[in-house]
Amino acid sequence: MPDLRPHGFALICLLLSVACGQSWPAMQAAGGSDDWKGLMTMAHAIIDPAAGYSALSALNGIESGNSRSNMLFWAATRKAP
């Protein structure tokens, strides 16, 4: 039986990019602290890596349990859909 995990992962990434694309305006309008903005902007980087990277670079605060380098790496390694 062939290994279907790579296809499942690709499907999950596609669904995430669609969900983030549809919900980003609402998440952006909700605002919140920089802690939450970091997490929301990482999600935004799935659909717009360049804008996500710029926004993450400009954040003042970082949520506990994450780091600026991790968030920037995440945005830099996303491929535009």
Side-chain angles (χ1 to χ4, degrees):
M1 175 182 246
D3 185 6
L4 298 176
R5 286 178 290 181
H7 301 291
F9 182 72
L11 180 59
I12 290 170
C13 290
L14 175 64
L15 292 174
L16 277 174
S17 67
V18 170
C20 290
Q22 293 173 348
S23 60
W24 175 246
M27 290 191 311
Q28 193 175 28
S33 67
D34 275 350
D35 292 354
W36 282 104
K37 286 181 185 176
L39 184 60
M40 292 188 302
T41 306
M42 286 177 73
H44 183 230
I46 294 172
I47 58 168
D48 190 347
Y53 190 94
S54 294
L56 288 167
S57 296
L59 283 179
N60 292 324
I62 306 296
E63 65 176 304
S64 60
N66 206 347
S67 67
R68 184 176 304 276
S69 60
N70 178 59
M71 292 190 303
L72 293 175
F73 176 80
W74 170 265
T77 57
R78 300 306 97 193
K79 294 181 180 171

